[in-house]
């Protein structure tokens, strides 16, 4: 019967504890209203400069109006 010889893992020395790597998660969807407002206004500005972008459920002028309305409502709160 053959035995498998194991070697130490990377970053460990004899008698030392193994190095643990932490995974950082990135949130792509904003959680705060202010972040949603920033995202919406930035997207509306970019959409004006790139008219070839299209969405099925809204137009650029309608989205711009919604973004401005959301910004005004958020400012009023």
């Amino acid at each position: 019967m053959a035995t498998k010889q194991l070697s130490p893992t990377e970053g460990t020395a004899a008698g030392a504890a193994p190095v643990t790597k932490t995974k950082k998660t990135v949130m792509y969807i904003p959680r705060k209203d202010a972040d949603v407002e920033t995202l919406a206004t930035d997207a509306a500005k970019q959409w004006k400069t790139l008219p070839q972008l299209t969405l099925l459920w809204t137009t650029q002028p309608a989205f711009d109006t919604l973004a401005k309305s959301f910004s005004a409502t958020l400012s009023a709160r």
Side-chain angles (χ1 to χ4, degrees):
M1 179 185 274
T3 60
K4 192 181 232 183
Q5 190 173 12
L6 301 175
S7 62
T9 58
E10 181 183 322
T12 61
V19 176
T20 58
K21 295 181 182 179
T22 58
K23 183 177 179 183
K24 182 179 178 183
T25 58
V26 177
M27 299 300 294
Y28 293 107
I29 299 174
R31 300 237 181 231
K32 298 178 184 175
D33 288 342
D35 295 337
V36 174
E37 185 260 336
T38 302
L39 178 65
T41 54
D42 289 349
K45 288 176 190 174
Q46 281 290 14
W47 199 353
K48 285 181 184 177
T49 62
L50 300 169
Q52 66 270 24
L53 296 176
T54 59
L55 295 177
L56 295 176
W57 61 89
T58 190
T59 62
Q60 186 276 324
F63 182 78
D64 190 42
T65 302
L66 286 172
K68 288 178 182 176
S69 174
F70 181 72
S71 180
T73 302
L74 190 61
S75 295
R77 270 200 317 180

